[in-house]
Amino acid sequence: MRRLSIPPPALWLVSLAVLLLVFPFVHDWPVFGRFISEFRTFNAAMFAVWLLVVLSMNLLTGYSGQISLGHAAVVLVGAYMTGILVDQYSIPMPVAIALAAAFTGLVGGVVIGLPASRLTGPYLAIATFALVITFPQILKLNLIDGWTNGALGIRIREVGAPGLVDGFLDQAQWLYYVTMFVALIMAVLFWNLTHSRFGRAFVALRDSEIGAEQMGINVPMYKALAFGISSFYAGLAGGLFFMVQTFVGPESLGFQQSFLFLVAIVIGGLGTILGSVFGAFFLTFQAEVIDGIPRWAESLEGRVPFVSFVPDLDRLRGVIYGGLLVITVLLFPRGLAGFVQGMGSWRPAAARESLAARLAAVRAGDFGAASMLARQLGLGRPAERGDERHDPPDAGEGRSNGADDDKLG
């Protein structure tokens, strides 16, 4: 049976460029207007913002191996800094966003990165978790209330198109082009960074800190550098978030959003730009999809059996996110990016047989065999150079080691 054929990358890039260029206008076209509304232009602008957030999270976790549970606080720093510069000092929005990104990168690299360079694993996660818990409370202090406006937050007028393009683009279209252009430029820079010697150092740091140190890599410096660059991306995303939303408050981004960022990079795929794109799609549409399932179930009630048992999913968001994490880790350990990248070498019949065997292994509780089958499917194939993972010993090997320990005892 023939393998799936994939068009050349140049064709994909040209098609993507054309799609991004005309997207804000397709809702007015006769055919596309039936299923693409004008609101999708706003969704696309937020997708660009979330793409920067997921790229920053992926650099920190997917490439350098540092888990952060407080990344939303870093994005919030960039959003608040932009709001203060625009609202209090009347600085133009583009300049304010650039200054906020630089400030956030400095804070992330020095204030957060240097202390965090001495922490690893769960200790680092707990430290960053404390950051996202405390920062919203700090923003409400009377000491800085004159800048942050306390619990009320900062609100500005809508950012309209400048005079040069006013009349050709409305406010939503202008925001779309600005955010998408910035996101694409930063994605290209991200690719160059991760394929440079800095990116290889980050990967070595993620795979083994001891091995990286033996190779001559300054581990504390590169940890702080990863935090600084990641915070720069997050601060830039925060500034664009404020520009699109025209509002930021202490509760705009909290622990729930930090958890969603982590879910997004796992579902999308760690250590890949394509995984960041999938993660940004997840952040953009997850709320809409979950809110739409009960309405869809109500429309089918009476025609489809058992559909009336669909619960109110608004109260089960945490369950859904946790379930998606478990399913992704068990069935798609490289995320959606690994799944897509492995499709080019698939044979459909063999893929169905391997997937069925993998599901049987999961049901039987043999997760070691399930992981091995994932690699046979191409789902565990490294997407970047040096992105290899090492599986733990299987259950049989663990039992034999335990038996030998008993004999020695």
Side-chain angles (χ1 to χ4, degrees):
M1 186 175 293
R2 294 181 179 179
R3 294 186 177 184
L4 298 176
S5 60
I6 298 177
L11 181 60
W12 284 109
L13 292 177
V14 172
S15 303
L16 178 62
V18 173
L19 175 62
L20 294 178
L21 189 62
V22 303
F23 183 80
F25 304 98
V26 296
H27 66 272
D28 290 330
W29 296 359
V31 177
F32 294 93
R34 296 180 180 178
F35 54 89
I36 297 180
S37 64
E38 189 175 0
F39 180 70
R40 297 307 176 193
T41 304
F42 172 79
N43 284 144
M46 286 306 302
F47 164 81
V49 174
W50 296 134
L51 177 59
L52 290 173
V53 173
V54 180
L55 284 174
S56 69
M57 188 76 173
N58 224 336
L59 178 66
L60 191 63
T61 303
Y63 282 90
S64 64
Q66 302 180 76
I67 300 177
S68 173
L69 294 180
H71 211 65
V74 184
V75 181
L76 200 58
V77 170
Y80 257 96
M81 190 65 184
T82 305
I84 291 171
L85 293 176
V86 172
D87 185 55
Q88 302 280 338
Y89 301 98
S90 301
I91 294 178
M93 182 66 74
V95 179
I97 293 175
L99 292 175
F103 174 78
T104 309
L106 183 64
V107 170
V110 177
V111 179
I112 303 175
L114 289 180
S117 64
R118 299 180 177 274
L119 302 174
T120 59
Y123 304 102
L124 177 60
I126 293 172
T128 54
F129 174 74
L131 177 66
V132 76
I133 294 297
T134 58
F135 186 66
Q137 307 305 318
I138 295 174
L139 294 172
K140 302 175 185 177
L141 294 177
N142 294 331
L143 182 64
I144 58 175
D145 181 78
W147 286 328
T148 64
N149 202 23
L152 298 178
I154 303 173
R155 185 180 298 276
I156 61 172
R157 294 182 302 172
E158 291 184 348
V159 180
L164 183 63
V165 295
D166 192 15
F168 296 97
L169 301 175
D170 59 24
Q171 188 250 355
Q173 292 168 345
W174 168 248
L175 290 177
Y176 163 82
Y177 281 118
V178 171
T179 54
M180 192 61 69
F181 176 77
V182 174
L184 290 176
I185 292 297
M186 298 308 295
V188 172
L189 294 177
F190 185 91
W191 188 91
N192 288 326
L193 172 68
T194 54
H195 285 75
S196 67
R197 65 185 183 90
F198 294 100
R200 290 190 292 271
F202 290 149
V203 171
L205 181 66
R206 178 201 64 198
D207 290 343
S208 173
E209 290 188 15
I210 297 177
E213 189 173 3
Q214 294 298 321
M215 288 165 34
I217 295 175
N218 190 332
V219 172
M221 185 193 75
Y222 273 93
K223 276 190 172 183
L225 183 63
F227 263 99
I229 299 175
S230 174
S231 298
F232 176 81
Y233 271 78
L236 185 61
L240 294 176
F241 175 87
F242 177 77
M243 183 180 70
V244 174
Q245 299 283 349
T246 67
F247 170 78
V248 64
E251 310 302 330
S252 296
L253 296 166
F255 174 69
Q256 182 178 3
Q257 284 71 31
S258 286
F259 176 70
L260 281 178
F261 298 160
L262 186 62
V263 173
I265 61 173
V266 173
I267 291 177
L270 289 168
T272 64
I273 295 180
L274 181 60
S276 300
V277 173
F278 286 131
F281 271 111
F282 169 78
L283 291 176
T284 304
F285 297 105
Q286 51 86 20
E288 181 179 346
V289 171
I290 294 176
D291 292 339
I293 291 177
R295 293 193 297 268
W296 170 76
E298 289 178 2
S299 66
L300 296 178
E301 191 171 356
R303 292 180 293 170
V304 178
F306 305 112
V307 77
S308 60
F309 291 95
V310 175
D312 187 1
L313 296 183
D314 286 339
R315 303 177 183 178
L316 297 176
R317 292 183 184 273
V319 176
I320 295 173
Y321 300 144
L324 287 175
L325 273 179
V326 172
I327 293 173
T328 302
V329 170
L330 291 180
L331 298 182
F332 308 101
R334 287 297 303 168
L336 294 177
F339 175 81
V340 171
Q341 290 168 346
M343 287 181 65
S345 59
W346 273 19
R347 295 180 180 178
R352 286 194 298 268
E353 294 176 2
S354 297
L355 184 58
R358 180 152 198 212
L359 290 173
V362 170
R363 287 194 297 268
D366 191 355
F367 301 115
S371 179
M372 181 182 65
L373 286 168
R375 296 186 181 278
Q376 293 176 357
L377 284 169
L379 304 179
R381 177 175 302 171
E384 300 287 349
R385 183 179 179 183
D387 198 22
E388 293 85 0
R389 292 285 194 272
H390 299 285
D391 291 334
D394 58 22
E397 184 178 348
R399 285 191 295 269
S400 64
N401 290 340
D404 292 338
D405 292 340
D406 292 338
K407 292 179 181 178
L408 292 174

